[in-house]
């Protein structure tokens, strides 16, 4: 077994999807655990990987172990698998707030520790993942780890001090973007557009705008100005967004998310 996931919910499934699509590991090289028999059967059916209800089996079978449970369960899980862990293991934490030092301390032995901050667009191969490691991870080992994260989207290696910022702008932001898409579609529906078509317009517009930022490298403000004709329709919307505190609302949302990450 090449990699194990303790917990196999939304984020683990999204990452495994990319790993399998890109052929980084095959189904029989991936083992996942679940809390319930229902969850185990679901993972087996949807992903086709090896499954278990025993977290210690994950650690005994795989040298690279991803902790894919909610942050509140990290300590409990690390205590549970403590006796199966060795210094040959690489532990990968994906939860906000659980630092490299905290993970090593709770693991209880000097091992390789990595943090990922992925996001759910990994499910469609368009994730954005931040990665940092402790100093036991060599350059070659990091290169192997980046093959994993690159399989479900883009990766940036960052200093650990930026992990909460990455959590806000990467990990959490899909939720805010989905809210934005939903709100835009609601407005289009209120103007008479069928809902399905409204989601297509809103989603493709967000996708296209994001691509423009990435591909042109131009300042987002420049790209905004390109859309705003003098005395046109767009600038009227810009006026109302500014009046409603749109930028400030986004700024505050990401700040709140990052601050919460520091407390977990
Ligand atoms: N959902 C997201 O957008 C993101 C999540 N994360 C992090 O990923 C981690 C997982 O989050 P999700 O996948 O969203 O959660 P989830 O709730 O979808 O999945 C967690 C899974 O772990 C299982 N589980 C719980 N306790 C367990 C135990 N003791 N042993 C084995 N399995 C157990 C649950 O049954 C569930 O299937 C969290 O730490 C979260 O902070 C990070 C970035 C983005
Ligand atoms: O809020 C959450 O649980 C996760 C962590 C990062 C993004 N979403």
């Amino acid at each position: 077994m090449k990699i194990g996931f303790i917990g196999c919910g939304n984020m683990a499934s999204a990452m495994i999807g990319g790993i399998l699509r890109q052929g980084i590991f095959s189904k029989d090289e991936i083992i996942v655990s679940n809390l319930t028999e229902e969850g185990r059967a679901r993972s087996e059916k949807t992903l086709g990987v090896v499954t278990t209800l025993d977290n210690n089996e994950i650690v005994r079978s795989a040298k690279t172990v991803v902790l894919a449970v909610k942050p509140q369960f990290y300590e409990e899980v690390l205590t549970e698998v403590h006796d199966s862990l060795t210094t040959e293991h690489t532990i990968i934490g994906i939860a906000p707030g659980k630092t490299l030092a905290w993970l090593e301390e709770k693991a209880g032995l000097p091992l390789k520790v990595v943090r990922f901050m992925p996001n759910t667009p990994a499910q469609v191969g368009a994730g954005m993942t931040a990665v940092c490691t402790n100093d036991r991870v060599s350059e070659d080992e990091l290169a192997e780890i980046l093959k994993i994260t690159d399989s479900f989207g883009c990766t940036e290696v960052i200093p650990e001090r930026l992990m909460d910022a990455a959590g806000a702008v990467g990990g959490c932001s899909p939720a805010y973007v989905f809210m934005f898409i939903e709100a835009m579609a609601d407005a289009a529906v209120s103007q008479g557009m069928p809902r399905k078509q409204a989601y297509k317009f809103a989603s493709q517009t967000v996708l296209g705008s994001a691509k423009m930022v990435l591909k042109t490298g131009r300042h987002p403000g420049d790209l905004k100005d390109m859309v705003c004709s003098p005395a046109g329709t767009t600038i009227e919307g810009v006026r109302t967004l500014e009046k409603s505190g749109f930028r400030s609302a986004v700024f505050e949302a990401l700040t709140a998310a990052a601050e919460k990450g520091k407390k977990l």
Side-chain angles (χ1 to χ4, degrees):
M1 218 63 71
K2 293 283 170 63
I3 191 165
F5 290 79
I6 297 185
C8 189
N10 290 318
M11 209 52 252
S13 305
M15 293 192 286
I16 292 168
I19 292 169
L20 291 174
R21 270 195 305 275
Q22 296 300 317
I24 306 298
F25 303 123
S26 60
K27 288 179 178 178
D28 56 8
E29 291 175 323
I30 302 174
I31 181 165
V32 308
S33 69
N34 277 98
L35 197 54
T36 61
E37 173 53 30
E38 192 193 355
R40 191 206 60 74
R42 193 176 47 243
S43 299
E44 187 175 271
K45 187 163 173 240
T46 56
L47 299 168
V49 297
V50 183
T51 60
T52 177
L53 288 174
D54 179 3
N55 290 335
N56 277 288
E57 191 185 339
I58 299 282
V59 178
R60 285 193 302 268
S61 314
K63 285 283 175 273
T64 301
V65 177
V66 182
L67 302 174
V69 295
K70 295 290 187 194
Q72 291 80 356
F73 303 121
Y74 263 53
E75 186 158 5
E76 178 186 314
V77 161
L78 282 169
T79 305
E80 183 187 345
V81 300
H82 174 266
D83 290 346
S84 305
L85 282 170
T86 68
T87 52
E88 297 300 304
H89 278 97
T90 301
I91 289 285
I92 302 177
I94 63 169
K98 301 303 180 204
T99 63
L100 295 169
W102 186 93
L103 289 163
E104 186 174 336
E105 187 203 318
K106 297 295 170 191
L109 70 170
L111 35 62
K112 290 177 273 261
V113 186
V114 178
R115 286 181 71 187
F116 289 174
M117 182 44 68
N119 62 16
T120 53
Q123 199 175 92
V124 291
M128 179 72 233
T129 305
V131 174
C132 64
T133 74
N134 72 358
D135 52 17
R136 287 193 189 84
V137 177
S138 69
E139 287 292 317
D140 286 351
E141 287 161 341
L142 176 60
E144 289 304 307
I145 283 162
L146 298 185
K147 282 187 198 161
I148 299 174
T149 53
D150 286 347
S151 75
F152 44 81
C154 300
T155 311
E156 288 281 317
V157 179
I158 61 168
E160 188 172 28
R161 67 184 164 76
L162 295 181
M163 225 45 188
D164 294 309
V169 73
C172 304
S173 282
Y176 316 141
V177 173
F178 297 136
M179 288 170 75
F180 180 51
I181 289 173
E182 197 183 10
M184 286 201 292
D186 278 349
V189 168
S190 88
Q191 293 289 323
M193 185 179 277
R195 184 158 285 279
K196 200 171 161 202
Q197 200 170 38
Y199 287 138
K200 183 166 184 187
F201 268 93
S203 309
Q204 178 59 31
T205 299
V206 168
L207 181 67
S209 307
K211 270 193 180 167
M212 274 181 90
V213 176
L214 292 172
K215 289 207 166 174
T216 65
R218 286 177 64 176
H219 190 288
D222 270 354
L223 297 172
K224 179 212 86 190
D225 290 350
M226 273 170 64
V227 192
C228 296
S229 314
T233 52
T234 312
I235 199 70
E236 287 305 309
V238 168
R239 181 174 61 82
T240 67
L241 282 173
E242 296 291 15
K243 196 173 161 196
S244 311
F246 178 67
R247 287 172 197 261
S248 173
V250 174
F251 203 137
E252 289 301 317
L254 268 71
T255 304
E259 291 303 318
K260 176 72 180 185
K262 292 182 183 135
K263 293 187 197 132
L264 282 172

